[in-house]
Amino acid sequence: MSTAHAIGLVTISRFGTLGVSLIGGVLLARSLDVPARGVLSVSITLVSLLASVGAAGLETAALRSAGGSDGATVLYTSIRRTAVVAGVCVPVALVLLAFQVPFAGLQPLEVAIAVATIPLVVLSQLLSNCLLGMRRYHIWTISTVGTVTAYVVGIAGLTIAGVTSLGPYLTAFTLGYVFSAIVLLGSLRGRAHRQSRDAAARLATSARRMTAITLLQMLFLRIHAPLVQALGSSGAAGLLAVATPLVDALLFLPVAAGLVLLPRYSAQNSAPARPLRDALRVSLITAFGALALGLIAPIVVPFLYGADYAEASTLVQLMLPGAIAFAFARVLQSHLLAVESYGTLVLGSLLAVILSVVAQLILSPHLGAPGAAIAIAVGYITMTVTFCVGYARRPQHA
């Protein structure tokens, strides 16, 4: 499959996922009040963040190496990593349930469900990237869209039944990842096995180098909703939970491009990668999408989610400049990973976390959710500027 077709398929799949997610978001907005929606959003965000910690480094190494000679080792290591995470999370969930420990607005049983879901999310992240690295885009599409669809079907059933407690909605989220595990493990059955120590060492080195980058970027992407809640407003977290997926939709194309281009850039040992051309094209398309989204958000958001969420359209508009900048940075990031410019990526990710958190601590106490949106844009722009400087200063042969 050509690069353009692969990027198109991954992007279309992401938009299909968005469409299903929007239905789920509308159902949640109609069945839960704004604070409860905020608690659910923060809970799912924390699960995703902790899962990213569990998969850190290996998920990018899988994307880069699964299609090569070390593919069997990548699959074996991914499954083993998931087993290790499960060995930690399941006992922790049982202890939390036994001692009836609440957390972040969740009841003890809900906390246990959230913690027990983490290994499933780790497995999905790792094996999904293995499929992309192996260029098995159609199976990846089935898994990705199916996971969200299963979750939203669960939400729909709970909404029809009039359920308002968070535990069943978290269970629906978990079942979505159960579906993902079934699809991914079934499609990769028999492919995972140990290889030589050299292959394992190469994979471990690659994953270790990428761990800091992954953790910092996931922290940047996930920290703002919990932080705005910690600063005193579950309602603001609920608004951010509505606005963020809409802005994330703009990033489907650059993320898809980055996912498809990384293994291809890595395979170009002598041919030039031409990342600037790719980055410019992707960011230009994203800019047109941002303009359209900024214009329709004040109409679409209250129509879909209700008048209580109307302020989320302002958050969308505030985040758009950062999204356009990051579209450029995401493609450059794939090239910098391919040429092993890890220092630039760590620095850009670290600065994005620091500056965005500082901005939110300054702005959110006075502005609430809009302060968080501005902070997110600041982080995206910071990351982009740093990546551009690092790209300009890279060795000329890279």
Side-chain angles (χ1 to χ4, degrees), residues 229-242:
Q229 185 183 38
L231 292 172
S233 177
S234 294
L239 292 173
L240 201 61
V242 167

Side-chain angles (χ1 to χ4, degrees), residues 41-56 114 117-118 121-122 125 173 177 214-215 218-219 221-222:
S41 172
V42 169
S43 304
I44 291 175
T45 296
L46 289 174
V47 168
S48 300
L49 179 59
L50 292 172
S52 297
V53 173
T117 305
I118 293 172
V121 181
V122 170
Q125 291 178 356
F173 176 74
Y177 278 96
T214 300
L215 291 178
M218 291 309 303
L219 181 62
L221 292 172
R222 304 294 185 183

Side-chain angles (χ1 to χ4, degrees), residues 9 17 20 37 60 93 97 99 124 126 138 150 171 202-203 210-211 248 259 265 280 284 300 306 348-349 362 375:
L9 177 60
T17 301
V20 178
R37 178 72 176 90
T60 306
L97 184 60
F99 287 92
S124 178
L126 293 177
H138 291 93
T171 302
R202 284 193 300 270
L203 179 61
M210 296 174 185
T211 297
D248 286 347
L259 291 173
Y265 286 160
L280 286 169
L284 181 61
V300 171
S349 304
I362 294 171

Side-chain angles (χ1 to χ4, degrees), residues 164-318:
T164 57
S165 59
L166 296 182
Y169 290 96
L170 281 171
T171 302
F173 176 74
T174 302
L175 292 177
Y177 278 96
V178 170
F179 173 86
S180 174
I182 293 171
V183 171
L184 293 170
L185 290 171
S187 68
L188 296 169
R189 184 175 54 189
R191 292 175 176 263
H193 56 81
R194 287 179 181 269
Q195 284 190 324
S196 66
R197 291 185 178 180
D198 289 342
R202 284 193 300 270
L203 179 61
T205 299
S206 177
R208 186 169 56 251
R209 289 174 174 176
M210 296 174 185
T211 297
I213 300 166
T214 300
L215 291 178
L216 287 169
Q217 291 192 358
M218 291 309 303
L219 181 62
F220 166 67
L221 292 172
R222 304 294 185 183
I223 192 64
H224 298 285
L227 184 56
V228 77
Q229 185 183 38
L231 292 172
S233 177
S234 294
L239 292 173
L240 201 61
V242 167
T244 300
L246 296 175
V247 177
D248 286 347
L250 287 177
L251 302 180
F252 287 168
L253 174 60
V255 168
L259 291 173
V260 171
L261 289 170
L262 174 55
R264 300 184 185 224
Y265 286 160
S266 299
Q268 290 176 337
N269 296 321
S270 57
R274 302 181 69 181
L276 277 181
R277 181 203 64 182
D278 296 335
L280 286 169
R281 288 181 175 178
V282 168
S283 59
L284 181 61
I285 296 171
T286 304
F288 281 116
L291 177 62
L293 179 58
L295 291 174
I296 67 173
I299 301 171
V300 171
V301 171
F303 175 76
L304 289 177
Y305 296 97
D308 289 343
Y309 291 88
E311 188 183 350
S313 63
T314 302
L315 308 189
V316 170
Q317 294 167 336
L318 290 172

Side-chain angles (χ1 to χ4, degrees), residues 292-379:
L293 179 58
L295 291 174
I296 67 173
I299 301 171
V300 171
V301 171
F303 175 76
L304 289 177
Y305 296 97
D308 289 343
Y309 291 88
E311 188 183 350
S313 63
T314 302
L315 308 189
V316 170
Q317 294 167 336
L318 290 172
M319 286 189 279
L320 291 179
I324 296 170
F326 184 71
F328 189 88
R330 185 62 183 81
V331 177
L332 282 190
Q333 175 177 308
S334 290
H335 178 71
L336 292 170
L337 280 171
V339 300
E340 300 185 353
S341 293
Y342 300 116
T344 296
L345 296 171
V346 169
L347 179 61
S349 304
L350 178 61
L351 289 176
V353 171
I354 293 172
L355 292 183
S356 64
V357 168
V358 169
Q360 186 168 353
L361 290 174
I362 294 171
L363 296 174
S364 286
H366 305 287
L367 301 178
I374 294 171
I376 292 170
V378 167

